[in-house]
Amino acid sequence: QTLFNRLHLLAGTKLSKIVVDFEDTYGGDNKIDKTKLLLQGGILFDINDNISLFTSYSEGMKAPGWANYERAPKPMESTQYEVGVKFDANGQLSGSLAAFKIERKNISVADPDTSGLTTIPNGEEESKGIELDLVWQPTTNFSLLTNYTNTDTVYTKDASTTILDGNKLGGVPEHSGRIWANYKFSELTLKGFNAGAGIYAQSETMLDGTNKYEVPGYHTYDAKIGYSYKSYETSFIVKNLTN
């Protein structure tokens, strides 16, 4: 729905149903059967032809991962909030800056009553941060993309004795980003071909939720060659060129 030619409203719902049957190592049968109406919506306001403000809200639900549960697990549920700005400067420089927050509950964590031999759906997580995306396209052939994400992910609730509230999630870097250049050939002999190269980098991450071990940060050099024809495209991509 568009109001006053500047205010755009979007709303929707999704009926999600999750049914899981499983048998634990003790021979017990358990079943998950949950139906939930998930909400989502967004608001976009055009300040002018080049700058827009936006905000959104969404809910999610998915089946839990496989583990040795002490009792029947629950579907993992999440809520996401986002607010930001989008801009387009003369068709050459465009991008967006957004702040987000994601909350998840019913996360599987180790059961302290069984010394971690089984899991229970008692964990909660929170992720929040900012995302920046910029695209510079000075010509129809050449484009330069860069993005950066700052993410703070922590456990906000955990019943185990190994993962403490406030511990960082494993495998999620606080800083990550990419710079990528792409060129589309327009010469008759190379028309349809494109080539790209870039750098991806991320900061150190925790190995897992116990936060005992840390994996150092790293960067990679990547490249690709692609060919496009009408609505089809094929690409050959090499990641981590310098090993």
Side-chain angles (χ1 to χ4, degrees):
Q1 180 70 38
T2 299
L3 304 174
F4 314 112
N5 295 323
R6 289 184 179 274
L7 183 62
H8 312 280
L9 307 177
L10 176 67
T13 61
K14 180 174 69 173
L15 185 63
S16 181
K17 181 179 179 63
I18 292 178
V19 179
V20 178
D21 290 292
F22 72 94
E23 180 179 329
D24 59 35
T25 56
Y26 304 103
D29 292 322
N30 294 282
K31 184 175 183 178
I32 305 173
D33 189 343
K34 183 170 183 177
T35 301
K36 184 178 181 179
L37 191 64
L38 304 176
L39 306 178
Q40 53 187 329
I43 302 174
L44 178 71
F45 180 74
D46 299 322
I47 296 179
N48 52 43
D49 293 339
N50 302 104
I51 302 176
S52 300
L53 303 177
F54 68 90
T55 183
S56 65
Y57 170 84
S58 63
E59 299 176 344
M61 183 174 72
K62 69 176 185 178
W66 299 108
N68 189 25
Y69 293 101
E70 172 66 17
R71 56 181 182 267
K74 304 173 183 177
M76 292 184 290
E77 299 182 32
S78 64
T79 55
Q80 177 171 328
Y81 312 85
E82 190 173 24
V83 61
V85 57
K86 296 182 179 182
F87 70 92
D88 187 347
N90 301 322
Q92 291 190 352
L93 180 64
S94 61
S96 65
L97 175 64
F100 63 89
K101 180 179 179 180
I102 304 172
E103 298 173 340
R104 300 175 66 202
K105 64 180 182 179
N106 300 336
I107 306 301
S108 299
V109 294
D111 184 2
D113 294 335
T114 61
S115 300
L117 296 177
T118 59
T119 60
I120 53 178
N122 197 57
E124 295 182 6
E125 302 170 352
E126 179 184 276
S127 300
K128 57 184 178 181
I130 59 171
E131 292 180 327
L132 173 65
D133 289 280
L134 293 174
V135 178
W136 179 50
Q137 188 165 354
T139 69
T140 57
N141 297 73
F142 177 78
S143 62
L144 182 67
L145 177 149
T146 180
N147 61 53
Y148 165 76
T149 303
N150 177 279
T151 309
D152 180 28
T153 57
V154 296
Y155 288 92
T156 54
K157 179 184 177 183
D158 195 314
S160 70
T161 57
T162 56
I163 298 179
L164 303 178
D165 297 352
N167 276 18
K168 294 183 177 295
L169 273 65
V172 182
E174 181 178 356
H175 306 280
S176 63
R178 179 184 298 276
I179 298 176
W180 184 267
N182 196 74
Y183 184 83
K184 295 181 180 180
F185 295 94
S186 56
E187 295 80 359
L188 291 179
T189 55
L190 296 174
K191 189 174 182 179
F193 284 94
N194 62 83
I199 303 172
Y200 171 79
Q202 71 170 54
S203 61
E204 67 279 356
T205 62
M206 294 298 174
L207 183 63
D208 55 29
T210 63
N211 287 190
K212 290 184 178 180
Y213 304 102
E214 188 177 88
V215 179
Y218 67 89
H219 65 276
T220 62
Y221 300 97
D222 312 319
K224 83 156 190 174
I225 297 176
Y227 179 77
S228 301
Y229 177 74
K230 295 183 178 180
S231 58
Y232 300 93
E233 180 177 356
T234 181
S235 300
F236 177 73
I237 303 172
V238 179
K239 295 185 178 182
N240 195 12
L241 286 168
T242 57
N243 196 29

